[in-house]
C-alpha cells in the first residue's frame, strides 16, 4: 500500500465467456485485492460472439462494456491487454490481430493448432515487441516455484531423472462423445490437451529436452457424435501418449499423457530426482510437495511440505499454512505475472516464444510416434 | 443468467482491513462472478480506525468510499450488510449498533468474548428481525455439504461415534509471544480460537451435544510480551483442551483442540462413524473426503472422494474435479449463503442463534474443565 | 554365530492350537533362525483339549509330543516355558499352575478376566520368582521401539498430548453373532479386547496414567446367538469406550476403542506430541512412523519414516528398508524378548506386574464410565 | 488337517547362507506350520563354501547336516529340492548340476548372467523334466494375486496402459562402493538387479511384451573399490533404465528402473489401467492395492484395499485384515508354490522357461538402449 500506482488504469479486454473466460474474470478481479499492483486495472471490455451473453456476463463480472465481435474489442482504445479464452483454432487470428494492434496478448494454451501458426505468432509478437503470455497456469503454483528454486539452488544435486504424467479420465468412457478436442486440427488429443501442460512443466523445471522417443495410440477409434447419439464419428487423435525424454542437462525420463486413465481427474504429476534428493508433486494435491534428501535430518524419509506464507504467491491469499490455494488462485497468480510483465517488471510466465518451444517439443513427440524412432529437437 | 436481478444493488459495508477484512473483500468480489445472484452487490464502504489505510484499501479492493469511524459505516445509507472482521472484543458493540440500525450483520467468529454478550446479541438480532451470519466458514466447503447430506440421508446408518480434532502449531514455540489471543477476555485460548470451529462443525453435522466432560491445560504459562522480548507475561488461557462429547442423538465421541501440536497447520479434522459406514475429513486436504461403506462395492476399503462439479458450490468455481477450491472460495461460498439469506432464500449459514449455541457449548466445556466433572447442556 | 549357546535346550510347551497358538508356533520356529539365541530352543510339547488335533498340530508344527490335558504339559519335565493361548478365562488356572510348577509363563493378553485374578497372578509369579511375559505384541514392533527411544531421548521435548485409538469393525455388523468376546466374565468388550492393547502402548511409551474419565456404551444390545440364528442374546459389554487420560508426567489426551468402526481393521494408532515435535503411528501401516520436528531440517513437514535395518529387530528379518515386517514377526520379536528374559538378559516385554497395571487402568476406566466421573489411579 | 501327507518327507537342500539363504530357511520353516502341505518337508542339508559357517547355520536353522562343497549337497540322496541363493554367476553351474542329478531346482533371480546360460538352463530343465522355480517372490503376494484375478476377470475392462517403476536408492550415494552388482558379467546394473523384478511382474499381470524402446545411462561412472577407498573402479552397468513397452495385448506403457532414486527403498510399483478401471500397487505398502472403478459405487474415488483372509495366501498367516504380511511371508508363499509344483499340483511360480522369457525381455531392452531404436521381441 506504499507505492503510488501509475495514473492511467490498464484496460483489460477479455474474449470468451466459457469456463476459462470466467476463470480469467475471477483472476483479474482477485489480483488487485491480493497484490499491490504497479498499475490500476480496469475491466474494460468483454467479447463473445453471442452479444446478449457478452452483455450479461460483462455486467455480472464487472466489465465496463461488451462486444459481439472480438475485432471490436481488439480495436477498443480502452483495451491494452487482450485475453483470449476461445477454442484453440481462434487463438491464431485473435492473437495476430492483437499483435497487429500493438496490444499485449494473454492467450490460453495451447498457443495454436499447428506449429506453423505458433511459429508465426511468436515471430510476429517478437517483431512487434508486444508483451505476451500463455496460460500454462500450473507453473504459477507457489509450490512449483519452490520446486524450481530448490532445483536451481542445487538442493537435489545434479538432476538425473524425471517421471512425469498428466492423466485424466474425462474421455475414459467410450460413450463420451466426440468434441472439438477430438480433432487434430483443433489441437485435440491427450498430448495437446493435457500433455502440453506437462511438457511446459518439464521445461519450466529442467530446461530443454534434446531428444524424444514416443508411442501414441487411439483406444476408442469412434465415439458418438453427441451424447447418446447413434451416429459414430471416427477418432484419430491420441487417447494416450507415452514417451522417453532426454534433457539437454543429461537428465533422462518418462512422459505419460492420457485422458482415459480412470480415477485421475487432474493428475499432472512428476517426480524429479537428483544426486542429492527427490521431489514429487501431484496437481490433485496442489498445496503439497514431497521431498526426500538423505542426510538432511537425523531421520530418513519423505517429507510432505505444505504451502505456506513464506512463499509470496501464497501469502498474497492466505496468512497461514494449511489454508490452501485453489485452482482459481493459480490463475490469479498467472495474471499477476502478466501485469508485472506488461509493466516492465520482468517476464515470469511463458511468453509466445516459450509456448512455441513447447509446441516444437510436442511436434517432435508426434513425429517420433509416427516414425517409431528417436527424434532430436533439431529435427523440428 | 436467466433471472433478472433485483433493481437496487445491495450495499456492503466492511469493517476491518486485516487478513480477514481482505478475505471478505475477495469473497464479495468473487461471488458475483461465480454465482447468478438474486441481487446486484455493491462494495459501498470500508471502515478502519486508520482512515488513511481505510481509503487505500477501499481503492485497492474496489469499495466506493471509506470511513475512519465504524459507526459512520453503520449509519451509511448505502450500506445494507455490515461485515465485521475486527478483533473479537469489538464484535459486540459493532453488531449491536448494526442491529439497532436494522442492518444485516455478518460477523466473524467467535460471536463475542462472553456468553452474556453472545446471548444479548442473539436476542437483539432476533427481536430486530435482522438477518445475521457468523463466519464459521469451514462448513461452507462443498465436501462438508456432501458429508452432511450423506449423514442426513442415512448413508452411514445411525451415527454412533465422532472423533474430532482441531490442532495447529502456531503457538507451539514457547518463544511465540503473547497476543490478544492469550487473553480470556478477548476470547483467547485454543478452545475459543480453534475449538469453536470444531464445535460448530460437530453441531452442523450431528446436531446438539447434550453433555461434555473436558480437560484443559496451559503448558506454557508465560510468554514474551513481544517477539524476542525479555518481559514475560503470564498466560492463563488453555493451550489444549480435550473433551468427551455426548450428542443428543446418542452418538459419543472425543474432542481435541490445541495450538501447540507441532506439524499441524489447519488440522480441523473428524471421523464420523455410523452403523453403516465411516466418513473422515481433514481441512488440510479440504477437497477430499474419506468414505467407507461395507458392502457398497464388491471390494472393501476406504475411498478417497475428490470434490467435483456435481457439488454446486464447487461447480461455481471449477468445471472439473481435481481442480480444487481454496480457502478464499470457502469464504466466497459463505458470502453466497449470506446473500441468499438476506434475499429471503433461506438461512444456510450459522446465524447468531446458532453461534450462541456454539458459545454455550464452549462455556459448558470450560465449566466442565474447571470443575472436573460432566456438565449437561442444560446447566449453561 | 560367535557365541556358544547354552548346552541344554529350552523346552517350549504351548497350550492352544487356534490362530494364536499357530502364531506362537510360527514365532518359536522363526526366532532361532532370525537371532543368535543364548540357548537352543526345543518345541517340546503342544496341548489341546482335543487330543487328536493336538497331535496333528504337533506334527505339522514340529513339536516333539502332544497332550490332551494342559496340566500334563505343565508337568512335562521337558517343558521350561509354558505358552498360553487359550480363551481368556483359562489364563488364570493355567498360569497359576505353571507358576506353581516353577515354570516361566508366556500368556496371551489380557492377563485375566478379573482384576482379582490378575492381582493374584502377578503376586504369585513375583513370589515364585518365575519369568513372565504377556502378549502385548504390538510394542515389540521396532518402529515402536524407535518411537520410545525418541521420546526418552527428548527428541519431542516434554510430552504434552496423546491421542490414541484402537478401532476395528469386526463387530460392526449387528448380525455379527454373540461370542465369548461379548461376555464381561470372559474379558469381552471393545475395551478389554482392543483397548487394553492401547493402554499397554500408552504406558509403554508415556508411563503411568494417574487419572481417567471415560464413557462407554453398547450400541447393539442384542446379537444372534450364532451366525444367522433367530435367537438373540443380550449384550452388556461395551461396543465403544472413549476416555480422557491424564498421565503422571503431565501429558493429557484422549483414548478411543471400538469394534464397530467401519473401515478399520487393526487401527491401533496414536499421535504423541511434545514441545519439540509430534509422532504418529498406525498399526495398519506397521512399518511406518510419521514424524514432525520444527527446525530439524531446512524444510518443514511431516516425514514418513520407513522401518529399516538400523533397527536390530528389523535387521533380524530383513536386510534393507522397504521390505517390511509382518504381524508374525512382531510375535517372533516378542518371543525373542521372552527368551532373553528367561536367560537373564533383562525383561523387555511386559511381565505380569505390568499386565496387572494395564488391568488396573482398564478397571479405572470401567469405574469412571459407570460412575460418570474422573477416577484417580489410586482408587483402584 | 484332513489329508494324510505323503509318507516320505521331501528333503530340502539349500546352498548359500547369506541374507537370501536365511530368507529361504525361514520360508521353509514357516511353510509347514502355515499350510497343510501334501508332503512333509525335511531340512536335509545346507551348503556353504565356508564349511564352519555351513555347520553353524545348519544347527541354528534346523538343517540335518551341512556341506562345504555344493556338489556334495546336490549329490546328497536326502535332497530332492536344491535351493540356490548364491551370487548370480553361480546359478548356472549349480542349476545345471542339479538338473543333471534329476532334482527340482529353486533358484534365485536372475536366472543367469547371460541369455545364453539362461537358454541352456531352461532347455536342460525341460529336457530333464525337473520342476523349476525362480525367486521372483513379489508376485506371490496375495494382493498381486488379487490384482491378477481382477485383470483376468475383466474387472478393469481391456487393459490399455501400464506404468511401472522399480526404484531404490542404495547406490544413490556416489561413495557407495563397487560390488559384484556393478559388473555386467554378474548380472549387475539397475535393470538386472531391480528391473527384472518389474519385467517379471509386467509379464505375470499382462502377458507378453512384443516391443520395447529403452534408454539406459550410467550416472556415476566410477566408484570406490571398497567403502572409503581412494581406488576408483570404472562402472559400465546402468544406474537407471527407462523404457517404453508394447504388450502383445495392445496395452502400452512405461518402465523405469533405478538404484539411484533417493527416497525409495523397495519401490516396485505399477499402475495398470483399463477401459473400466485402474489398479495401483507399491511394494513399500505391500498389503495394499489402490483401485478405481467408475460407477462401481454410488461414490467415486480410489479405494485402498487392505489384504485380508479372503485371500488364501494371507489367511495362511493372519486371521484378520490389517495384520499384514511381511517380506519373509512372500518368500514362504513362494516356497508353498514350489512344494505344490514338486507335488504335481500345478506350477504357479515362474519356472526356468518363464525366467528365460524375462531374460529375453531384458536383453531386448539392452539391445534397444544400445542401438537407440525400438526392438521387437522376435529379434532376441
Amino acid at each position: 500500500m506504499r507505492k503510488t500506482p501509475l495514473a492511467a488504469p490498464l484496460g483489460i479486454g477479455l474474449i470468451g465467456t466459457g469456463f476459462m473466460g470466467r476463470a480469467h474474470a475471477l483472476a483479474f478481479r482477485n489480483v488487485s485485492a491480493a497484490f499491490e499492483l504497479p498499475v490500476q486495472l480496469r475491466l474494460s471490455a468483454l467479447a463473445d460472439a453471442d452479444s446478449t451473453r457478452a452483455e450479461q456476463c460483462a455486467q455480472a463480472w464487472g466489465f465496463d462494456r461488451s462486444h459481439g465481435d472480438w475485432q471490436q474489442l481488439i480495436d477498443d482504445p480502452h483495451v491494452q491487454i487482450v485475453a483470449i479464452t476461445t477454442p484453440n483454432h481462434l487463438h491464431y487470428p485473435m492473437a495476430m490481430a492483437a499483435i497487429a494492434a500493438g496490444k499485449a496478448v494473454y492467450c490460453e494454451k495451447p498457443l495454436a493448432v499447428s506449429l506453423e501458426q505458433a511459429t508465426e505468432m511468436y515471430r510476429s509478437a517478437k517483431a512487434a515487441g508486444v508483451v505476451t503470455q500463455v496460460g500454462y497456469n500450473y507453473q504459477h503454483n507457489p509450490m512449483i516455484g519452490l520446486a524450481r528454486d530448490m532445483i536451481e539452488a542445487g538442493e537435489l544435486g545434479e538432476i538425473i531423472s524425471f517421471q512425469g504424467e498428466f492423466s485424466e479420465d474425462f474421455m475414459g468412457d467410450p460413450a463420451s462423445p466426440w468434441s472439438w478436442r477430438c480433432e487434430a486440427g483443433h489441437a485435440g488429443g491427450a498430448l495437446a490437451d493435457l500433455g502440453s501442460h506437462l511438457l511446459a512443466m518439464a521445461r519450466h523445471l529442467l530446461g530443454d529436452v534434446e531428444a524424444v522417443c514416443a508411442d501414441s495410440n487411439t483406444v476408442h477409434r469412434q465415439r458418438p457424435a453427441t451424447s447418446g447419439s447413434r451416429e459414430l464419428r471416427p477418432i484419430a487423435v491420441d487417447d494416450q501418449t507415452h514417451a522417453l525424454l532426454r534433457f539437454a542437462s543429461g537428465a533422462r525420463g518418462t512422459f505419460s499423457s492420457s485422458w482415459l486413465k480412470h480415477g485421475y481427474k487432474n493428475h499432472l504429476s512428476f517426480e524429479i530426482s537428483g544426486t542429492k534428493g527427490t521431489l514429487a508433486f501431484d496437481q490433485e494435491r496442489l498445496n503439497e510437495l514431497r521431498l526426500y534428501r538423505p542426510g538432511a535430518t537425523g531421520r530418513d524419509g519423505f517429507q510432505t511440505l505444505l504451502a505456506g506464507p513464506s512463499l509470496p504467491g501464497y501469502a498474497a491469499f492466505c496468512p497461514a499454512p494449511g489454508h490452501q490455494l485453489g485452482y482459481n488462485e493459480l490463475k490469479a497468480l498467472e495474471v499477476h505475472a502478466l501485469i508485472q510483465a506488461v509493466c516492465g517488471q520482468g517476464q515470469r510466465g511463458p511468453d509466445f516464444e516459450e509456448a512455441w518451444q513447447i509446441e516444437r517439443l510436442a511436434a517432435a513427440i508426434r513425429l517420433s510416434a509416427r516414425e517409431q524412432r528417436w527424434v532430436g529437437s533439431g529435427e523440428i
Side-chain angles (χ1 to χ4, degrees), chain A:
Chain A
M1 297 296 149
R2 289 171 305 267
K3 299 187 207 151
T4 311
L6 300 182
L10 200 57
I12 311 299
L14 171 63
I15 312 178
T17 63
F19 154 65
M20 195 47 89
R22 195 178 62 171
H24 278 225
L26 282 168
F28 280 110
R29 289 167 72 98
N30 274 335
V31 78
S32 308
F35 291 97
E36 185 192 353
L37 297 178
V39 67
Q40 243 190 308
L41 300 187
R42 183 127 202 119
L43 302 186
S44 296
L46 181 63
D48 193 283
D50 174 343
S51 61
T52 307
R53 176 165 173 83
E55 182 53 27
Q56 283 176 327
C57 290
Q59 282 182 27
W61 302 350
F63 283 80
D64 292 335
R65 67 193 63 79
S66 67
H67 299 286
D69 175 352
W70 57 263
Q71 185 65 53
Q72 288 174 351
L73 180 140
I74 287 172
D75 296 338
D76 187 329
H78 298 94
V79 168
Q80 278 87 48
I81 297 178
V82 177
I84 302 172
T85 70
T86 54
N88 296 338
H89 70 285
L90 295 172
H91 293 179
Y92 172 79
M94 290 171 173
M96 292 300 284
I99 291 166
K103 305 208 167 170
V105 192
Y106 171 34
C107 185
E108 270 310 307
K109 54 70 52 181
L111 184 54
V113 298
S114 72
L115 185 57
E116 292 67 31
Q117 284 184 350
T119 308
E120 195 181 340
M121 288 162 80
Y122 130 66
R123 287 186 182 151
S124 300
K126 193 168 187 181
V130 299
V131 168
T132 56
Q133 189 172 291
V134 179
Y136 288 106
N137 54 292
Y138 296 119
Q139 64 188 248
H140 295 277
N141 183 343
M143 292 308 260
I144 297 298
L146 173 62
R148 197 187 193 204
D149 288 349
M150 290 174 68
I151 292 166
E152 284 185 357
E155 287 192 43
L156 304 182
E158 176 198 347
I159 301 305
I160 57 183
S161 72
F162 173 87
Q163 268 86 28
E165 175 175 355
F166 194 175
S167 292
E168 299 197 356
D169 66 3
F170 67 98
M171 298 297 277
D173 184 348
S176 290
W178 175 93
S179 76
W180 62 261
R181 287 177 202 270
C182 298
E183 296 291 326
H186 286 69
L191 173 61
D193 198 42
L194 303 179
S196 62
H197 273 295
L198 182 58
L199 296 176
M201 189 66 81
R203 285 181 52 81
H204 182 64
L205 294 172
L206 300 186
D208 287 341
V209 173
E210 70 177 21
V212 298
C213 188
D215 192 26
S216 282
N217 68 314
T218 308
V219 173
H220 300 301
R221 294 171 176 278
Q222 41 187 21
R223 290 180 180 274
T226 57
S227 189
S229 156
R230 286 182 160 195
E231 183 201 342
L232 295 177
R233 293 202 187 166
I235 307 288
V237 295
D238 64 309
D239 279 329
Q240 58 180 0
T241 290
H242 301 98
L244 301 175
L245 304 182
R246 284 196 199 155
F247 291 86
S249 70
R252 314 290 180 99
T254 60
F255 166 100
S256 291
S257 182
S258 171
W259 60 21
L260 299 185
K261 197 165 172 188
H262 285 296
Y264 290 104
K265 307 305 177 181
N266 199 3
H267 187 46
L268 173 59
S269 61
F270 56 79
E271 297 200 353
I272 290 173
S273 193
T275 52
K276 294 185 180 167
T278 297
L279 259 184
F281 174 80
D282 181 355
Q283 179 68 24
E284 291 189 3
R285 285 180 174 164
L286 70 90
N287 290 276
E288 301 180 12
L289 206 51
R290 291 176 66 244
L291 171 64
Y292 180 93
R293 288 182 302 170
T297 73
R299 303 293 174 190
D300 199 49
F302 266 99
Q303 264 193 307
T304 301
L305 312 183
L306 279 190
S310 64
L311 304 169
Y314 182 92
F317 290 101
C318 295
H323 282 65
Q324 297 171 55
L325 299 185
Y327 172 84
N328 288 299
E329 281 152 340
L330 303 190
K331 219 60 199 167
L333 289 165
E334 180 173 83
V335 163
H336 184 228
L338 170 72
I339 302 303
Q340 289 186 309
V342 168
C343 293
Q345 297 184 344
Q347 177 93 31
R348 287 188 296 120
D351 60 10
F352 277 18
E353 181 167 0
E354 173 60 17
W356 166 72
Q357 292 284 12
I358 295 165
E359 294 304 318
R360 282 184 66 214
L361 185 50
I365 286 175
R366 277 187 202 96
L367 176 61
S368 168
R370 202 161 53 240
E371 301 192 351
Q372 307 204 22
R373 63 172 180 89
W374 281 91
V375 168
S377 59
E379 296 187 51
I380 301 293

